[in-house]
Amino acid sequence: MKEILIISGKGGCGKTSLCAGFAKLAKSAVLVDCDVDASDLHLLLKPEIIKKEVFIAGELPSLDEEKCIRCGKCKEYCRLNAITFAEHELPVFHENACEGCKVCTIVCPTKAITMVPRTCGEWMKSQTCAGMMFHARLLPGGENSGKLIAEIRKAAREEAKREKQDLLLSDGPPGIGCPVISSITGVDMAVIITEPTLSGLHDLKRTIQMAREFEVEIRVIINKYDLNSEMADKIQKACEKNGIQVIGKMPFDPIFNSSLREGKTIIDFPDSEPAKILASIWKQIDPSKEKGKRK
Amino acid sequence: MKIAVASGKGGTGKTTVSLALAEVLGTKGLLLDCDVEEPNCHLFFQMPADKTTPVTVKIPSFNQDLCIGCHQCSDFCAFNAIANIGKKLLIFPELCHSCGGCAYLCPTKAIQEIDHKIGVLEYRKKGSVELITGIMDVGNIIAVPIIHQVIAQADSHRTTILDSPPGTACPMVNTIRDADFVILVTEPTPFGLYDLQLAQDTLEAMNIPSGVIINRADDSCADVEAFCKSRNIDVLMKIPFSKKIATGYSNGDSLLTSAPELKPKFTQLLQKLGGL
């Protein structure tokens, strides 16, 4: 089984639109939406939820008000400013800022604070038109997005093994931090989507630098290349110079937005130029083709 | 006052809007780029940083001679940043959340806290516009401490514009939590609308007032407008879809350079919010 992850440092480059297209083109894939705090893949793939699980990770402090002597020590030692305290009042714990380090529990002189399991979101297994999909919803401001991603990837891998699917295709989160690191660990190939803008180039460089710290094949797609062909050429040259293969350039085409508004992928419009280009890009990374070659 | 510019979905135009607000504010404003994983505001300044300072966090440093092998530190660490093998301690700096619990607990003071660099702050000033950018070192995992250090640069005499990371997870929440107002930038697509709902849910849960700017507005804004009406939030502005703006952006030109006719709208917006 091969794992392919679609990422882009910069948001809005077209990860989800292209990933949904690849999902439709893939013969036997299990899909994962690793963008757990602003996931969008479901808007194109119309999942029917089969299974839903609560995601519990880490802990939150809980105060025994009777034991609390209102000394404020918990606030003093909390380095995340997750506790506010006013003289003679009970401390107030702010969930959004708390990372569950437990320091408040050890500095409390009366042991008035204990930790309780924290619900951070939920994850779903769903049937879609393009195969089984694993996706999740992190609660607003939720902690542990990396762990949630690891959990749905694990569930997806098990599904792929059980159903003998040869590809795990994941739509990644933006950025290069915790959620991306959790998404890229252990995948075979990262396809980085970029756009021909200064921001796109800047973020691409950082994303490649991050990806190179993992044993992962790197490919690049320049989306909306004709918005600035000069910049697209510059990005392509920069990639080639660094030994990174640009596997395709996608034009800016109103069909992306119009198909999105209909809740469809561009592959649902097979005669369109972008659909044809995407199909030719897919041929270059399709693991089922690779298997054929080896034979 | 602090005005944060956020959006659930990436690439909707947060940086574009943040820069326009900062340009209108001039010396009365300060722009803080809090998207420390992929900061972009500085690209529009097209100049090297005037000054760069390191961002550090505290991580444990371990004195083996004093360790009695009690394992209290590794047992306590909620983030598995310490592995205790017999009397040998292994520390994983990238997993450490700098809570200080291990040093506090160690009965023999074998753990001292030392500075560990995770990023930098870059300072730029071009004309009357001042920018401070937080940049996470590539390979790091935890963005939030850098975000806190960027926001700590805000001063109360000026209107501070916070360019937020995308999403609704901890980096976004830590950027907006002290903001007086949040401008949510969206685009008139189902992705834009869905992620706008998530972002607005987050703001309502945190009780922070907000308004919406629709970027790349065309004739299909009705869904976004209906949503804003249903949540009782104002559509503050529509920035039209234009190839001129998109091309300018791609070359590092700010919105008000490509479309100076929009300046009065941003001035009015800042006056309305009380930032000017």
Side-chain angles (χ1 to χ4, degrees), chain A residues 37 99 102 141 177 228 261, chain B residues 37 76 97 113 168 188 195 250:
Chain A
D37 60 311
E99 295 180 3
K102 308 179 287 184
N228 187 335
R261 284 188 184 121
Chain B
E37 292 179 41
F76 175 76
H97 285 226
E113 288 186 272
T168 59
D195 294 348
S250 72

Side-chain angles (χ1 to χ4, degrees), chain A residues 13-71:
Chain A
C13 288
K15 283 184 298 295
T16 303
S17 294
L18 298 188
C19 185
F22 288 147
K24 282 260 168 134
L25 290 164
K27 293 284 172 305
S28 68
V30 173
L31 311 170
V32 188
D33 191 343
C34 291
D35 193 355
V36 295
D37 60 311
S39 60
D40 283 333
L41 193 58
H42 64 282
L43 297 173
L44 292 178
L45 297 179
K46 313 264 169 59
E48 253 176 63
I49 296 169
I50 294 169
K51 188 170 105 176
K52 213 178 219 187
E53 287 209 12
V54 177
F55 172 63
I56 294 166
E59 294 175 317
L60 275 175
S62 161
L63 182 71
D64 183 334
E65 296 183 1
E66 278 176 20
K67 280 191 190 165
C68 178
I69 54 166
R70 301 165 199 229
C71 66

Side-chain angles (χ1 to χ4, degrees), chain A residues 122-163:
Chain A
E122 57 181 9
W123 66 266
M124 285 80 68
K125 172 184 173 180
S126 299
Q127 184 67 55
T128 76
C129 52
M132 206 60 88
M133 171 161 106
F134 291 79
H135 51 130
R137 173 78 192 110
L138 192 73
L139 288 176
E143 282 285 324
N144 297 305
S145 55
K147 277 187 194 154
L148 179 52
I149 292 164
E151 190 155 319
I152 56 173
R153 282 186 61 206
K154 185 171 160 239
R157 264 198 301 270
E158 284 165 4
E159 171 79 15
K161 257 182 217 151
R162 205 166 37 237
E163 300 298 321

Side-chain angles (χ1 to χ4, degrees), chain A residues 3 14 50 69 96 98 101 113 115 136 141 170 182 186 207 264 282:
Chain A
E3 281 192 63
I50 294 169
I69 54 166
N96 281 325
C98 178
C101 72
I113 305 169
M115 298 301 284
S170 304
S182 180
T207 308
K264 289 179 176 165
W282 178 245

Side-chain angles (χ1 to χ4, degrees), chain B residues 203-275:
Chain B
L203 296 181
E204 282 174 19
M206 295 172 74
N207 213 5
I208 303 174
S210 59
V212 170
I213 289 182
I214 307 177
N215 192 17
R216 299 184 202 110
D218 51 15
D219 46 14
S220 45
C221 295
D223 291 347
V224 174
E225 286 168 318
F227 167 76
C228 292
K229 205 174 166 197
S230 74
R231 292 295 188 91
N232 209 11
I233 42 177
D234 287 339
V235 175
L236 302 166
M237 194 191 299
K238 284 187 194 173
I239 301 170
F241 175 78
S242 121
K243 192 118 192 212
K244 182 180 73 174
I245 295 173
T247 310
Y249 174 86
S250 72
N251 288 319
D253 290 337
S254 75
L255 176 67
L256 296 185
T257 305
S258 304
E261 67 275 12
L262 293 172
K263 194 175 175 184
K265 283 193 181 182
F266 280 95
T267 307
Q268 282 163 18
L269 172 59
L270 281 163
Q271 282 164 345
K272 183 177 156 188
L273 298 178

Side-chain angles (χ1 to χ4, degrees), chain B residues 63 66 103-104 106-112:
Chain B
N63 182 340
L66 296 175
Y104 179 89
C106 179
T108 60
K109 305 236 177 301
I111 294 174
Q112 296 286 315

Side-chain angles (χ1 to χ4, degrees), chain A residues 9-12 16-17 37-40 42-44 73 77 79-81 96-97 99-103 106-107 137-138 140-143 174-178 195-199 202-203 206-207 209-210 213 226-228 231 252 257 260-261, chain B residues 8-11 36-40 42-44 46 58 75-76 78-79 97-101 104-105 113 135-136 138-141 144 166-170 173 177 188-191 194-195 198 202 206 218 220 241 243 247 249-252:
Chain A
K10 179 166 162 42
T16 303
S17 294
D37 60 311
S39 60
D40 283 333
H42 64 282
L43 297 173
L44 292 178
K73 242 185 152 184
Y77 278 85
R79 291 190 179 169
L80 291 154
N81 298 321
N96 281 325
E99 295 180 3
C101 72
K102 308 179 287 184
V103 163
I106 54 171
V107 300
R137 173 78 192 110
L138 192 73
E143 282 285 324
I176 56 165
C178 159
E195 60 174 33
T197 64
L198 266 188
S199 310
H202 172 267
D203 294 354
R206 284 169 65 82
T207 308
Q209 201 187 337
M210 179 276 303
E213 293 184 22
D226 48 350
L227 276 182
N228 187 335
M231 186 68 75
F252 178 77
N257 273 353
L260 173 55
R261 284 188 184 121
Chain B
K9 177 168 160 41
V36 303
E37 292 179 41
E38 297 288 21
N40 288 147
H42 64 286
L43 300 173
F44 296 83
Q46 309 199 347
K58 296 285 183 201
D75 289 347
F76 175 76
F79 312 106
H97 285 226
S98 310
C99 71
Y104 179 89
L105 276 177
E113 288 186 272
I135 308 179
M136 185 172 91
V138 175
N140 256 293
I141 297 175
V144 170
T168 59
C170 36
V173 164
R177 60 187 273 225
T189 66
F191 288 172
Y194 181 76
D195 294 348
L198 299 177
T202 308
M206 295 172 74
D218 51 15
S220 45
F241 175 78
K243 192 118 192 212
T247 310
Y249 174 86
S250 72
N251 288 319

